[in-house]
Amino acid sequence: MKLTVTAFVSIDGVAQGPGGPDEDRSGGFERGGWVVPLFDDDTGAFIDEVFGRVDAFLLGRRTYDIFAASWPNATDPDELVAHRLNTLPKYVASTTLDDPEWGPTTVLDGDIASAVAELKSRPGRELQVHGSLGLVRTLHEHDLVDEYNLLTFPVVVGQGRRLFAERGLDTGMSLVETRSTSNGVIIAVYRRTARAGFGTMEVE
C-alpha cells in the first residue's frame, strides 16, 4: 500500500487543532478551529476523493480518540468519510491504548517504523494518515511517507505546532497535482523523491 498523509496547514505552517477549539490544546494552544470558516464545498469534494482511495487508516492516539468519539455516531452508509472510517481497518500507534472499542482497530505498540513498513508491503491502494501530527513527524523521519496531500488555508494562525519539525530529515518532493478552492484553499499533492538538493544563488 502507498502511505499518504493528508494535512490541513495554515500559511504559517501550523497544523495543530484545525477542526475545533478543544481538538488539541496541548502546549497552551488557544486558536483551534481555524479551518472551519474556510472549509468549502471544493475542499469537501477533494476530501471525498481522498477517502475514495483508502484501504486502511494509520492514526496517532490523540486523533484516534477524537475520531472514535464522533464518527461512530454517523451511521448513514451514503456518508463516504464516515462509512470508510467506521468500517475499514484502523492501525493506531500507541503504547497506552489497551482495549479499543471502535473497530476494526489494531494497536501498534512496538517499533512503529518497522510495523508501518510491514503494513506498506501489504497489497492495497492507500494506507492513509489524517491528523496525527506527532505520528506524521515520526513517519517523515523514517522516510516512510510516499505522498502528502497538503491543504493550505489562507490564514496565519500565529501559534501552534507546525507540520514538520524545526529540524528534521531533508526531503525532495515533486508536485503531482494542484488546485485552488472558492475560499482560497490551495490543495497540493506532493510525491517524495530523494534527498533535498542545496546550492548557491549566483548573480551574473
Side-chain angles (χ1 to χ4, degrees):
M1 285 186 287
K2 178 169 65 175
L3 179 57
T4 65
V5 167
T6 299
F8 298 158
V9 297
S10 66
I11 289 177
D12 54 336
V14 174
Q16 184 173 359
D22 296 319
E23 184 177 80
D24 182 1
R25 290 186 177 271
S26 62
F29 185 61
E30 300 176 341
R31 301 177 183 178
W34 44 271
V35 154
V36 177
L38 298 164
F39 198 98
D40 53 24
D41 290 342
D42 297 330
T43 304
F46 177 78
I47 294 300
D48 282 347
E49 290 177 25
V50 171
F51 275 82
R53 302 190 296 263
V54 64
D55 280 336
F57 297 99
L58 175 62
L59 304 170
R61 173 64 190 273
R62 184 192 299 274
T63 298
Y64 177 81
D65 286 346
I66 292 170
F67 284 5
S70 58
W71 285 112
N73 299 321
T75 58
D76 183 353
D78 294 328
E79 200 342 281
L80 175 65
V81 173
H83 182 69
R84 293 297 171 91
L85 283 169
N86 288 325
T87 60
L88 289 177
K90 292 170 282 290
Y91 299 91
V92 185
S94 174
T95 59
T96 57
L97 181 61
D98 297 320
D99 188 22
E101 297 181 359
W102 184 35
T105 295
T106 301
V107 178
L108 307 178
D109 60 359
D111 183 338
I112 296 302
S114 296
V116 172
E118 192 279 325
L119 288 174
K120 289 184 60 178
S121 71
R122 298 180 185 181
R125 294 174 298 172
E126 291 189 14
L127 173 63
Q128 293 185 357
V129 182
H130 297 269
S132 311
L133 181 54
L135 174 61
V136 170
R137 289 182 172 187
T138 298
L139 297 172
H140 178 78
E141 285 303 303
H142 286 87
D143 227 9
L144 289 167
V145 181
D146 297 303
E147 285 187 3
Y148 288 91
N149 302 311
L150 299 186
L151 290 81
T152 303
F153 286 74
V155 59
V156 175
V157 178
Q159 179 194 35
R161 290 191 297 162
R162 273 58 178 173
L163 178 62
F164 296 105
E166 184 176 346
R167 187 177 183 87
L169 184 70
D170 62 280
T171 306
M173 302 278 183
S174 63
L175 182 63
V176 177
E177 177 189 352
T178 184
R179 67 178 87 167
S180 60
T181 76
S182 57
N183 279 352
V185 180
I186 303 299
I187 300 171
V189 180
Y190 294 98
R191 182 172 298 145
R192 172 175 53 87
T193 54
R195 297 279 68 80
F198 303 92
T200 300
M201 295 290 293
E202 297 184 359
V203 178
E204 296 182 0

